[in-house]
Amino acid sequence: GESVGLHLPTLSVQEGDNSIINCAYSNSASDYFIWYKQESGKGPQFIIDIRSNMDKRQGQRVTVLLNKTVKHLSLQIAATQPGDSAVYFCADGGGTSYGKLTFGQGTILTVHP
Amino acid sequence: NAGVTQTPKFRVLKTGQSMTLLCAQDMNHEYMYWYRQDPGMGLRLIHYSVGEGTTAKGEVPDGYNVSRLKKQNFLLGLESAAPSQTSVYFCASRTTDGYTFGSGTRLTVV
C-alpha cells in the first residue's frame, strides 16, 4: 500500500535554532499534505498544510516545502522554542476521495534551552 | 481539542471482553474517522464514515465494528478484545477547512 515515511526519527536542537523535519511520500497522486504536532497524551494538532499546486507555504514561524518531483516535503520551524518539543507527523491526504489520511512514523523534536 | 469529544479517556479490558468507544462532534461535520496509534508509530485508519448511516473500512479494520446512526456520533466497537488492540484510539472529524482530532482513548487489553 501507499506509505509516508520520515527520514529521521529524532531531532535535537538548541533553543533559537531553526529545525527542519523531512518526510517522503510514495503516492504520486497525492494532492494534499498536512503537518501535525503531537504532545504527550494529546491528539494531533494541526500546524500547516499544503496542496500539490504549491511548492511552498508559510505560517507563523513554520514553512512547508513540497517537492513533487522527488515526492518529498519538509517542515521548517524558525527560532525553535522549548514549547516546540513534540512529535511531528506528516500526513498524506491522498489523491482520491473521503479525506483518508496516511500518517508517517513521526519525528521526535527535542529543543534544549 | 474543541469540538470532538471522546469517551472514555482510559479503559482496561480483559481479553475477550467487549466495549464501545464514543466519539461526538458538535460541528456538523459529515466525515468522521477512527484511528489507532501504537507506540512509536503514526496513526492508522481503522474505519471511517462519510455521513450519517454510512461506514467504510480503513487500513486496519479487523476486530472492530463501527456505527454512525446519528451525524454527530461515531461509535467504535471491539467485539472480543485482544492484547493486540492495546493502543491509543483517536477520533477525528473533517470539513473542507480541515480536521479536528479528539484527545484520545487509551485502551489496555490484559
Side-chain angles (χ1 to χ4, degrees), chain A residues 38 43 89 98-101 104-105, chain B residues 33 35 37 40 42 50 90 99:
Chain A
Q38 187 177 28
F89 294 95
Y98 309 135
K100 296 177 288 182
L101 295 176
Q105 183 180 10
Chain B
Y33 309 84
Y35 290 89
Q37 184 177 31
V50 300
F90 288 100
Y99 300 80

Side-chain angles (χ1 to χ4, degrees), chain A residues 68-81:
Chain A
K68 296 179 287 294
T69 302
V70 296
K71 291 185 281 189
H72 179 272
L73 66 159
S74 66
L75 176 70
Q76 301 178 2
I77 305 173
T80 315
Q81 302 168 359

Side-chain angles (χ1 to χ4, degrees), chain A residues 11-17 80-82 85 109-113:
Chain A
L11 178 63
S12 227
V13 301
Q14 291 297 126
E15 182 178 0
D17 288 350
T80 315
Q81 302 168 359
S85 294
L109 175 65
T110 303
V111 183
H112 300 284

Side-chain angles (χ1 to χ4, degrees), chain A residues 79-98:
Chain A
T80 315
Q81 302 168 359
D84 295 326
S85 294
V87 180
Y88 288 80
F89 294 95
C90 64
D92 173 358
T96 58
S97 57
Y98 309 135

Side-chain angles (χ1 to χ4, degrees), chain A residues 32 34 36 38 41-44 51 89 98-101 103-105, chain B residues 1 31 33 35 37 40-43 45 48 50 90 99 101-103:
Chain A
Y32 181 56
I34 311 172
Y36 286 98
Q38 187 177 28
K42 297 184 178 180
R51 295 201 175 272
F89 294 95
Y98 309 135
K100 296 177 288 182
L101 295 176
F103 283 80
Q105 183 180 10
Chain B
N1 292 331
Y31 292 8
Y33 309 84
Y35 290 89
Q37 184 177 31
M41 296 181 67
L43 283 69
L45 182 64
Y48 64 102
V50 300
F90 288 100
Y99 300 80
F101 281 85
S103 57

